[in-house]
Amino acid sequence: MSSPSLQSLPQGYRALVIGSSGAIGSAVLAHLQADPRCALAVGLGRHTIPALDLDDEATIARAAQQLQAQGPWHCILHAAGMLHGPHGMPEKRLGQLNYAQMEATFRTNTFGPALVLAHFAPLLPKQGRSLLAVLSAKVGSIGDNRLGGWYSYRASKAALNMLLKTASIEVARSHPQAVLVALHPGTVNSALSAPFKGAEIGRPAADAAGDLLRVLDGLGAQDTGSFYAYNGEQLPW
């Protein structure tokens, strides 16, 4: 399969990947840096310059402010997220719900990305095509939920989807050709999926990143505010 190139963006486009230390984020960044059409691709995370920590609102605002002068940024992808962590694995039953795990999950999967939308959407070009995507998950679809479980993770991604949809309506007023979408990457061989047989059932992060970029490249302004899977399927909210 050929390496993806964002042909729908102008020659010399600039791209940002937030959460570039993760499996999918680093793979997306590598694809963008290898795209001859891309003039600049920058990864952001806790240990980059500028640093961006989803637990620290000031770093999100400061990173956006520092990068504004290098813009406009034609492609912005938020790839950070958490499924499990110090507070435990995804809850299978109501009795496992607790504030600490819910708050940690929402801070990373919902509140942080919301602030990224707030501070980074203004960095998109007001004229011409641009892309802003957040990594969501199919399990965040309310319409597709048939198995239950994974309470905090499902809810945090469903809330992220609503934030993305709402932001797309506002951004369209000032950036009529911007495409804001939520993306489901599928199961990827990564630290996030490792406890769930990710190495066995997941595909390489480079393949997932290429799929996501191809989906983005094929979307138009009429698709803004939508939810898509890595194979191009539009998913229900």
Side-chain angles (χ1 to χ4, degrees), residues 14-182:
R14 295 168 182 263
L16 290 172
V17 179
I18 296 158
S20 59
S21 64
I24 297 177
S26 62
V28 169
L29 183 61
H31 278 308
L32 293 170
Q33 290 175 336
D35 184 356
R37 295 178 54 80
C38 183
L40 179 64
V42 175
L44 293 173
R46 288 190 180 95
H47 305 297
T48 59
I49 299 174
L52 189 153
D53 185 344
L54 295 180
D55 281 327
D56 186 344
E57 181 178 355
T59 68
I60 301 173
R62 189 161 52 243
Q65 184 178 28
Q66 291 181 23
L67 289 164
Q68 184 175 12
Q70 297 179 59
W73 297 91
H74 303 85
C75 177
I76 301 174
L77 190 139
H78 179 90
M82 72 167 285
L83 175 56
H84 50 85
H87 298 290
M89 302 299 285
E91 315 95 335
K92 295 181 179 180
R93 303 183 304 277
L94 281 169
Q96 295 176 332
L97 291 173
N98 63 86
Y99 259 117
Q101 184 166 354
M102 288 190 289
E103 183 176 15
T105 303
F106 268 79
R107 284 180 73 89
T108 299
N109 291 347
T110 312
F111 304 153
L115 292 172
V116 166
L117 288 170
H119 291 288
F120 281 82
L123 273 56
L124 297 170
K126 288 192 174 182
Q127 301 298 324
R129 176 176 168 80
S130 60
L131 305 167
L132 193 162
V134 297
L135 286 196
S136 186
K138 191 174 182 180
V139 296
S141 166
I142 295 174
D144 189 66
N145 185 357
R146 297 176 179 84
L147 297 176
W150 288 27
Y151 282 87
S152 295
Y153 187 71
R154 284 185 185 275
S156 68
K157 292 296 189 178
L160 173 62
N161 290 348
M162 176 59 87
L163 287 162
L164 183 284
K165 173 66 176 180
T166 306
S168 73
I169 296 169
E170 178 179 345
V171 171
R173 297 177 185 136
S174 54
H175 300 68
Q177 294 186 56
V179 182
L180 276 66
V181 291

